[in-house]
Every structure is written in structure tokens, then in C-alpha cells.
Amino acid sequence: MGYSNARLEASDNRIKATIRMAYGFHHVTNLIALVMLRCGGPDIRPPQPRT
């Protein structure tokens, strides 16, 4: 049907680059946090008024 796997390849490449950047981290949780930060995008919510 003409589908492309370009988005999957791009996210895979970004994760691989992050792993190379994170070489030397002592804990895998730091690597996971860095991948989530780079690939997850910001979760910015506007302030809500207090009731």
C-alpha cells in the first residue's frame, strides 16, 4: 500500500545516537531517562487555576 518505515528508522537512529552519547553512564535508568527525554518530547501543560 505504499507505507514507509521512515519514522521507525528515524526513531531507531535517534535512540542509537543517544546510546552512543550516554556511553559511560553508571546506571541504565539514566540512559532510559535520556532516551525518554530526547524521543518523548516535552510534556508542557499550561498552569491551571487553583480552585
Side-chain angles (χ1 to χ4, degrees), residues 26-50:
H26 293 288
H27 301 285
V28 74
T29 54
N30 295 339
L31 170 63
I32 293 170
L34 187 61
V35 168
M36 294 299 290
L37 181 66
R38 287 185 50 129
C39 298
D43 186 24
I44 300 173
R45 296 180 184 161
Q48 300 293 324
R50 294 185 182 184

Side-chain angles (χ1 to χ4, degrees), residues 2-25:
Y3 291 116
S4 173
N5 64 344
R7 288 183 190 237
L8 180 62
E9 291 292 331
S11 63
D12 185 44
N13 189 25
R14 179 171 278 196
I15 290 172
K16 286 181 181 180
T18 305
I19 290 171
R20 284 192 304 269
M21 186 175 74
Y23 179 76
F25 280 8

